[in-house]
Amino acid sequence: HGELFTWITCLQRQSKDKALPAHAIESLKVWKDLPRLSLADIRDMADAVEEFKYRHELEVSVQMKKQHYTDNIRTILLDRHHEEIRFDVILDDIVAMSRSDAGADEFLLEVVNVMDNVIEVGIEQSQYDISSRTLMVMSLLLSDIAQMMDVTQEEQMLLDHVSHDYAIDHDIDHDIDILRASSSTTEARLDAFQKIKSYRNSLVFHGEKYQSSASSPPSYPRAWIKCASVLEKAGLAFISTCVTVSTSGCQKYTQRTLPPAPVDTWVIASAPARVDLAGGWSDTPPVSYEYGGTVTGIAVKVDGKNPLSARCRQVSGSRGIVLRTEGRDLDENLLSHTEVTLRTLGDLSDFQNPIAECALLKCALVFFELVPMDTIIIKEDENIDLQPYINKFCGSPRQDVGLEIVCTSRLPRGSGMGTSSILGGCILAAIGRCIGVFDAEKADDDYLIEAVLTLEQLLSTGGGWQDQVMGLVEGLKTGTSDAHAIPLKTGVNRIPIQENVQKELDERLILAYTGQTRLAKDILQNVLRRWARRSPDIVSTVQNLVSGATSAAQAVTEGDLDKLGDCINSYWTYKKIMAGEDSGVEPPVVKALLEELTKRNEIVGGSLCGAGGGGFMILLASAGTSGAEVERLAKSELNGVIPDLALFTWHECSVSDQGLTVTLDQ
C-alpha cells in the first residue's frame, strides 16, 4: 500500500508552489477513489467482546513474559550460569511506557528489586561472587538506560546540586570499603548495601530522600551513569573479597617464622619479567574463579638481566619509614624516582590509590599489618605517630628504628610484562625477610602467589595471578585456578624444557618495546564489563583461552616451536576479542608490523605482552631465522615503511632458569 501515499511524500519534500508530478497525482486519485468508513461504521463492524478478550490475553501474555524474564535473571545469577543477560526487554518496555501514561520505571523497578534480592542472598550465604556479578550487571543496565536519554543544561545543574547534597549525608565510599574489608560481618555488609541502595534510589528512582521534596530530581544521563559507577565499584569490592576473604585477613602472612635480618643490612629480592604465551585473561578475577583459569608462560631475562628488584633494611638510630621507587634502564642509569617518608597514620591513607606516590610500597606495609587496615579505613586520628607501630613491626619494642624500602624497575611503565605484580612479589619478599615474617625462597609457590594477588586487590588495581606465577617461578609453567572456589585457589605446574628446545627458543624469541605505555586497568575494566554480560562470543573466547594454554604448553614440551607460534597468534586474536574493538588494544603500528613480518615469513607468531594496548611485543622468529635477524630487517627495511616503528627499541629475550631470588648485603 506504499504507493497510495506517494502524493503525501511528494508534498512533504517539494515546495508548495511546485506542481505534483504525474505519479503523485495518480496516487492521489487512487486514494480519493477508495471507499470511506466512519468511526461509527468501524464500531458497528467490530466485535467488542473479542476485542476486549484479545486485549486481556495480550496483557496477560506480556505480564507472563516479563515474569519469565525476571525469573530467568534470578536463575542465571543465583545458579552462576554462563549465560548472557540481555536488556532489550527492559529498554523496549521503557520506550513503550514512556509513550503512554503508564509508569516507565515500573518493570525496571521489578527487575532491579529481583537483583537486589539476589545480592542480599549472596551476602547472607557468603557467596560474594554472586553479589559481585549482579552488581556489575545492574551497573551495565543503568549505563545502557543512560545512553537512551537526552540532557538539558538545567537538568545538569540540578544534578550537581542533588549529588553534592547527598554526599554530605553519606560517605558512599565508606560503605564500599565495608563490602571489601575481610573483617566485615554479614550484618555490616547487608547494612552497607542498604545504604548503597538508598543512594541509588534517591538519585535515579526518586527515592525516600526526595519524596517530601517539592521537586524530585529528573531522570537524565549523568545521574544514571553516576549510580552505575557506584554499583560497579561495589561489584569490584566484592571481587576483592572473593580473592582475599578469610577469617584472619592477612594475618597468615604476618606470623614471625625466623629472626629478622641484621639491622643496617639490605635484603635484596630480584626477579625476571614474564612473557604470557597463552591463556591470559582467564587468570583475572572474577573470570579466574567463576570459569576457572589456565595460563602458560615463561620467566624471561631481558638483555640477559633480571629487570625487577626490591630491597629493604632496618636503619639503626633512625625514625619513620623511607619509601622510594626507581625507574632505571637496563644499564642501571636512573631515569626517575619518587621518595616519601611516612611518620603519621595519615601518611598511609592513600595506600589504595594506584596513582599515589609509592602506593605499592604503602600497600605492602598495610598487607603486613604495620597498622591494621581497618584502622586506616575508618580514618582515626591521622596525626597518630607511626613510630610505635614501626618498632613493633621491626621487632624492636624498646628502641626506635627506621625502615627503608626501595623498589626498582628496569622496564618502562606499562610494559605488559607483569612489572607491578612481580615487583609486588619482590617487595613482599624483601620486607618479609627483613622483619622475619617469611623466607620467600623457601615458601610454597601458592603462598607467595596468593600474597601478591591479595596485595593487588588491596591496591585496587585488580589484575590476575599470571604475572606473579610466570615471573616469580622459574622457566616454563602452567598456572591454574579453580572454578567456584572462594577464596580463589591457584596452582602451578612447572614444565621442563629440553635443553636443545630452550636453546632454539632463546635464539628465536625477541622483544620489541613499542614506545607506547598503557595502564592495564583501563583495558581491564572493559573486559570485566564484557564478562559480566556473558555475551556468547566472550564465553567462547574464555573457553578458547583456557584450551589454548594447554596447547601452548604441549607445543613446547614436544619441541614444536612452529605450533607454539600458531598458539601465540591465536592468543593475540583472543586478547583482541576480550578487550573489544574500540579498546585500542592493537595500535596501528603493531598491526602493520605483525602483518608485514608474517607476510615475509620472518615470524611464526607475535603478540603484545599482557593486556595489550602498548608495552612490549613478543615475536617468535621462523625456523632458521634468529630474533637478531628480525630486528635487523625491521630497522633496515621497515622503519621507513611503517609509521612509528622508529620508536621501537629491540631487546634480547631468554628463558630464566631462576625465578625470585633473595640475598642479604651489608
Side-chain angles (χ1 to χ4, degrees):
H1 297 84
E3 294 180 357
L4 290 176
F5 305 105
T6 301
W7 64 276
I8 296 178
T9 304
C10 289
L11 283 175
Q12 290 173 333
R13 293 181 178 178
Q14 68 184 38
S15 59
K16 295 180 180 180
D17 56 350
K18 195 172 183 179
L20 285 173
H23 70 281
I25 294 174
E26 180 62 26
S27 169
L28 177 59
K29 181 178 182 302
V30 172
W31 180 76
K32 286 182 175 180
D33 291 342
L34 287 173
R36 264 54 175 179
L37 293 174
S38 67
L39 289 176
D41 294 334
I42 296 173
R43 179 198 62 199
D44 294 340
M45 294 171 63
D47 186 332
V49 174
E50 286 299 318
E51 178 67 20
F52 280 110
K53 179 181 177 182
Y54 167 76
R55 292 190 181 191
H56 175 71
E57 290 175 350
L58 182 62
E59 183 177 349
V60 171
S61 174
V62 169
Q63 291 303 318
M64 289 179 63
K65 288 181 178 179
K66 287 182 177 180
Q67 185 62 49
H68 175 73
Y69 179 83
T70 55
D71 290 345
N72 191 47
I73 285 180
R74 182 190 297 274
T75 300
I76 290 174
L77 294 172
L78 280 177
D79 293 348
R80 300 182 171 103
H81 291 170
H82 296 306
E83 295 180 28
E84 184 176 19
I85 295 180
R86 298 182 62 89
F87 302 140
D88 310 43
V89 176
I90 304 173
L91 301 180
D92 290 346
D93 184 75
I94 291 174
V95 172
M97 293 299 101
S98 66
R99 294 170 180 165
S100 68
D101 294 332
D105 289 347
E106 185 176 331
F107 179 47
L108 172 62
L109 283 169
E110 289 181 23
V111 174
V112 169
N113 287 336
V114 167
M115 291 185 185
D116 285 345
N117 178 254
V118 171
I119 292 166
E120 290 164 356
V121 170
I123 295 173
E124 290 167 354
Q125 299 180 1
S126 299
Q127 296 175 333
Y128 304 121
D129 57 323
I130 291 175
S131 299
S132 172
R133 184 188 176 190
T134 307
L135 281 161
M136 296 290 287
V137 168
M138 191 185 297
S139 170
L140 292 166
L141 172 58
L142 298 192
S143 295
D144 284 2
I145 292 172
Q147 304 305 315
M148 301 166 53
M149 301 177 184
D150 296 320
V151 60
T152 67
Q153 186 175 2
E154 181 181 355
E155 289 171 338
Q156 191 70 62
M157 292 173 63
L158 179 57
L159 173 64
D160 292 338
H161 171 72
V162 170
S163 301
H164 175 71
D165 214 20
Y166 196 84
I168 294 174
D169 294 345
H170 185 70
D171 181 4
I172 205 71
D173 286 337
H174 177 67
D175 293 314
I176 292 174
D177 287 336
I178 291 174
L179 298 182
R180 179 184 295 108
S182 59
S183 59
S184 294
T185 63
T186 298
E187 291 72 21
R189 286 193 172 101
L190 285 170
D191 182 62
F193 175 61
Q194 291 303 317
K195 291 175 181 176
I196 292 171
K197 278 172 55 178
S198 296
Y199 175 87
R200 176 200 67 201
N201 294 343
S202 66
L203 207 54
V204 299
F205 291 136
H206 308 248
E208 64 276 2
K209 176 177 172 63
Y210 296 98
Q211 285 178 353
S212 60
S213 174
S215 59
S216 295
S219 296
Y220 44 85
R222 190 173 166 188
W224 292 78
I225 292 172
K226 184 179 180 68
C227 284
S229 176
V230 169
L231 294 171
E232 180 176 82
K233 288 180 180 177
L236 295 175
F238 272 127
I239 290 176
S240 177
T241 303
C242 290
V243 173
T244 62
V245 64
S246 164
T247 56
S248 59
C250 298
Q251 292 176 5
K252 72 175 182 177
Y253 302 107
T254 62
Q255 299 173 3
R256 298 186 186 278
T257 58
L258 67 162
V263 176
D264 297 319
T265 298
W266 283 110
V267 177
I268 303 171
S270 63
R274 70 99 181 92
V275 168
D276 49 321
L277 300 176
W281 285 124
S282 74
D283 67 299
T284 303
V287 181
S288 54
Y289 59 74
E290 289 180 341
Y291 185 86
T294 305
V295 182
T296 296
I298 49 177
V300 298
K301 293 186 176 184
V302 182
D303 290 341
K305 301 174 182 178
N306 281 347
L308 306 167
S309 66
R311 60 187 189 273
C312 179
R313 67 174 176 177
Q314 297 185 38
V315 184
S316 59
S318 182
R319 290 173 60 86
I321 302 176
V322 176
L323 305 179
R324 179 181 171 93
T325 61
E326 297 180 339
R328 295 180 179 269
D329 62 22
L330 290 163
D331 294 323
E332 296 297 336
N333 297 308
L334 183 64
L335 304 177
S336 63
H337 74 280
T338 300
E339 185 170 302
V340 298
T341 301
L342 309 180
R343 294 189 175 89
T344 66
L345 188 64
D347 293 332
L348 276 172
S349 61
D350 58 356
F351 75 96
Q352 288 186 304
N353 181 359
I355 62 174
E357 292 183 338
C358 301
L360 186 61
L361 294 170
K362 292 175 184 177
C363 230
L365 291 170
V366 175
F367 172 89
F368 280 122
E369 294 193 334
L370 166 69
V371 179
M373 182 169 62
D374 291 347
T375 301
I376 303 172
I377 290 176
I378 293 171
K379 294 181 173 60
E380 295 184 2
D381 185 357
E382 294 190 347
N383 294 317
I384 293 176
D385 188 6
L386 274 182
Q387 195 57 47
Y389 292 101
I390 297 170
N391 293 343
K392 180 181 178 182
F393 187 69
C394 295
S396 179
R398 299 185 184 87
Q399 185 176 356
D400 285 348
V401 64
L403 198 63
E404 188 174 355
I405 311 170
V406 182
C407 68
T408 304
S409 172
R410 296 159 186 84
L411 297 175
R413 182 174 178 269
S415 67
M417 298 187 72
T419 302
S420 60
S421 299
I422 300 171
L423 268 180
C426 292
I427 292 166
L428 294 182
I431 297 175
R433 178 64 187 87
C434 183
I435 65 174
V437 172
F438 72 93
D439 186 340
E441 288 188 307
K442 296 179 181 178
D444 181 80
D445 289 339
D446 294 341
Y447 187 86
L448 185 58
I449 289 162
E450 291 174 6
V452 176
L453 192 58
T454 302
L455 176 68
E456 289 203 313
Q457 294 300 322
L458 287 178
L459 187 58
S460 80
T461 51
W465 44 255
Q466 68 145 308
D467 295 345
Q468 53 266 38
V469 169
M470 302 307 152
L472 301 177
V473 179
E474 74 281 358
L476 173 72
K477 78 288 296 181
T478 294
T480 60
S481 58
D482 299 334
H484 308 310
I486 307 296
L488 179 67
K489 179 64 178 175
T490 60
V492 183
N493 177 31
R494 290 175 169 83
I495 302 173
I497 310 177
Q498 300 175 46
E499 185 177 345
N500 65 313
V501 175
Q502 181 166 329
K503 181 180 179 182
E504 182 183 355
L505 189 59
D506 289 344
E507 290 175 351
R508 292 173 60 178
L509 283 177
I510 188 167
L511 285 168
Y513 179 61
T514 63
Q516 302 181 38
T517 62
R518 56 97 192 95
L519 183 63
K521 187 175 182 180
D522 298 336
I523 297 177
L524 171 64
Q525 288 176 333
N526 193 32
V527 170
L528 295 186
R529 290 165 186 159
R530 288 162 60 78
W531 173 249
R533 289 185 189 270
R534 296 295 202 283
S535 61
D537 62 323
I538 291 298
V539 175
S540 64
T541 300
V542 170
Q543 294 172 342
N544 290 332
L545 285 167
V546 170
S547 61
T550 302
S551 298
Q554 183 180 7
V556 179
T557 301
E558 295 172 352
D560 190 345
L561 298 190
D562 286 350
K563 180 181 176 183
L564 175 63
D566 292 337
C567 292
I568 293 173
N569 287 333
S570 296
Y571 179 37
W572 179 232
T573 299
Y574 301 146
K575 281 186 185 183
K576 290 185 286 186
I577 294 173
M578 290 296 288
E581 292 181 3
D582 300 328
S583 64
V585 66
E586 185 176 46
V589 63
V590 170
K591 181 178 181 180
L593 181 61
L594 288 174
E595 289 177 350
E596 189 64 31
L597 291 176
T598 301
K599 182 175 68 176
R600 295 175 179 234
N601 295 319
E602 295 292 335
I603 62 171
V604 292
S607 169
L608 281 175
C609 298
F616 278 87
M617 178 190 297
I618 185 68
L619 301 172
L620 181 60
S622 300
T625 303
S626 68
E629 289 172 322
V630 173
E631 175 186 352
R632 283 194 294 271
L633 172 68
K635 287 180 175 179
S636 62
E637 297 186 28
L638 301 182
N639 266 353
V641 177
I642 300 176
D644 295 332
L645 188 58
L647 299 175
F648 278 42
T649 58
W650 300 80
H651 304 271
E652 294 179 5
C653 178
S654 58
V655 179
S656 176
D657 293 326
Q658 281 189 312
L660 176 71
T661 59
V662 181
T663 58
L664 273 63
D665 182 7
Q666 291 185 321

